[in-house]
Structure formats: C-alpha cells, structure tokens
Amino acid sequence: MEKIKYLVPSIHCMHCAHTIKMELGDLKGVESVAVDVEKREVNVEYSAPATNKSIESLLAEINYPVEKTL
C-alpha cells in the first residue's frame, strides 16, 4: 500500500472535504482518504489499480487540482 499527501489550495470547507472523500473513495484501489481543511491537504492510502496519476487526474476533474505533492 502506498501513502501520498497533496496540497490542494481550492479546499475551503467541509463540503469540499466531503466531495473529495466521496469521489476518491469510489476510485478502485483507494483504501482511505483524509482531508485537512485548515492545511488544505489530502492524504490518500492506495494500492493498484489506483496510481498517483489517476488520483491527481480525478482531483483535477472534480475541480480540486493538486498544487504539489508533499
């Protein structure tokens, strides 16, 4: 299992966090998603078939693009 943390500046509220958790949670291979609204960070634990690229692509698709990987 892989762990990754992203900085996502467009996170502003709990609704943003909920949307991210629901969308990423539906991605095959994603085991857990935690969102820190204050720090605007998304922590993801995943395994194949999910990849860093597929997670970043989905975040961009739902209007929460990754600024950088932490």
Side-chain angles (χ1 to χ4, degrees):
M1 182 177 316
E2 303 276 338
K3 293 182 182 181
I4 197 156
K5 184 187 294 187
Y6 302 105
L7 177 61
V8 182
S10 56
I11 297 172
H12 298 289
C13 64
M14 292 307 292
H15 176 73
C16 297
H18 177 74
T19 300
I20 290 168
K21 286 180 186 179
M22 295 300 292
E23 294 289 337
L24 287 182
D26 287 344
L27 189 61
K28 202 168 228 159
V30 171
E31 304 292 329
S32 71
V33 179
V35 180
D36 185 323
V37 175
E38 289 181 20
K39 293 182 180 178
R40 297 182 176 165
E41 293 176 353
V42 178
N43 295 286
V44 183
E45 292 185 7
Y46 66 96
S47 54
T51 64
N52 179 29
K53 185 173 177 90
S54 67
I55 293 166
E56 284 192 28
S57 293
L58 180 56
L59 285 168
E61 184 179 314
I62 62 172
N63 295 316
Y64 294 101
V66 172
E67 181 175 290
K68 66 180 176 179
T69 303
L70 303 173

